[in-house]
Amino acid sequence: AQSVTQLGSHVSVSEGALVLLRCNYSSSVPPYLFWYVQYPNQGLQLLLKYTSAATLVKGINGFEAEFKKSETSFHLTKPSAHMSDAAEYFCAVSVKGRRALTFGSGTRLQVQP
Amino acid sequence: EAGVTQSPTHLIKTRGQQATLRCSPISGHTSVYWYQQALGLGLQFLLWYDEGEERNRGNFPPRFSGRQFPNYSSELNVNALELEDSALYLCASSLGLASPEVSQYFGPGTRLTVL
């Protein structure tokens, strides 16, 4: 079985500051890893994914994430936060052949002016 | 290109009733997934359909069921509704089982309230 742990249910940064959202996974087989963003009263939007190609993955809206197998991590970063980045972010894992996503508990990002 | 659509947006039912939620996938996608997002429980996988067949099921009781139609749209049925079924139900779609592309794209959800 797979699992995801997101450290920090709430993260607050200043506009223009670095965004770092943490995700650690557990999987007995090579994982597929995803980051999604959810704005209030909306569905999930895919930010980026790792599926065993390049370990540094670039996504939409300036976000990127690095797959580190030795640390079982897939942290999400953005060099400079915008007010529009305020939302809830979910890390998710699946494995080949089993498409069901296992989600972390989410991190709510607040961006201060 | 149209995204995943879900209907209705909101649904209010009473305990013991049945709810039917509908989902239309992105054109060209043959896989449909259902997830429940309940307060305090997070996002949990419910069901996966591909080419009309149920491929995988999450840890939910049998009163949660669904089907996929020949046009790849899908229905989620919840029988004998309980208060704890109140949640946002999210549908997602992706390319089919044979594709190496596994990204799932989500709809806006149906908010089910059980009174």
Side-chain angles (χ1 to χ4, degrees):
Chain A
Q2 299 78 46
S3 67
V4 173
T5 302
Q6 290 185 242
L7 288 173
S9 59
H10 290 82
V11 170
S12 182
V13 300
S14 299
E15 193 173 17
L18 172 72
V19 175
L20 170 61
L21 304 181
R22 300 178 186 275
C23 172
N24 288 88
Y25 70 92
S26 173
S27 177
S28 57
V29 297
Y32 297 150
L33 293 159
F34 306 83
W35 275 100
Y36 284 89
V37 61
Q38 186 176 34
Y39 297 98
N41 300 312
Q42 293 186 26
L44 302 175
Q45 181 182 14
L46 179 64
L47 282 175
L48 49 79
K49 66 174 187 250
Y50 166 79
T51 55
S52 78
T55 56
L56 181 61
V57 180
K58 293 188 184 299
I60 62 171
N61 301 339
F63 286 94
E64 63 181 39
E66 187 172 7
F67 172 70
K68 292 187 176 180
K69 184 178 178 181
S70 61
E71 299 177 9
T72 61
S73 69
F74 191 58
H75 302 330
L76 183 70
T77 61
K78 182 174 181 177
S80 176
H82 294 166
M83 297 297 290
S84 59
D85 294 328
E88 187 147 26
Y89 292 79
F90 293 93
C91 183
V93 63
S94 70
V95 297
K96 186 176 181 180
R98 294 180 62 82
R99 297 281 188 91
L101 292 171
T102 300
F103 285 89
S105 55
T107 297
R108 186 166 299 278
L109 176 67
Q110 191 175 23
V111 182
Q112 307 281 6
Chain B
E1 183 183 299
V4 176
T5 59
Q6 293 185 244
S7 63
T9 304
H10 294 90
L11 190 56
I12 300 175
K13 295 285 186 178
T14 56
R15 281 173 54 190
Q17 285 189 314
Q18 179 194 46
T20 298
L21 289 64
R22 296 179 176 85
C23 173
S24 291
I26 291 170
S27 177
H29 285 185
T30 61
S31 275
V32 171
Y33 312 81
W34 289 94
Y35 292 86
Q36 182 197 64
Q37 187 175 27
L39 271 176
L41 294 177
L43 279 151
Q44 295 183 281
F45 167 73
L46 263 166
L47 290 160
W48 169 27
Y49 292 95
D50 182 76
E51 297 283 359
E53 300 282 333
E54 182 180 302
R55 301 294 179 177
N56 197 5
R57 181 181 181 87
N59 188 25
F60 281 84
R63 58 191 185 81
F64 286 84
S65 65
R67 54 180 172 166
Q68 187 178 32
F69 299 99
N71 67 353
Y72 305 115
S73 68
S74 177
E75 255 179 22
L76 174 68
N77 295 292
V78 188
N79 293 318
L81 284 165
E82 300 179 2
L83 295 177
E84 53 264 35
D85 297 334
S86 294
L88 181 67
Y89 288 84
L90 293 166
C91 174
S93 74
S94 77
L95 293 173
L97 190 58
S99 173
E101 172 49 61
V102 298
S103 299
Q104 295 180 26
Y105 297 89
F106 283 77
T110 292
R111 174 75 61 187
L112 173 63
T113 302
V114 182
L115 303 176

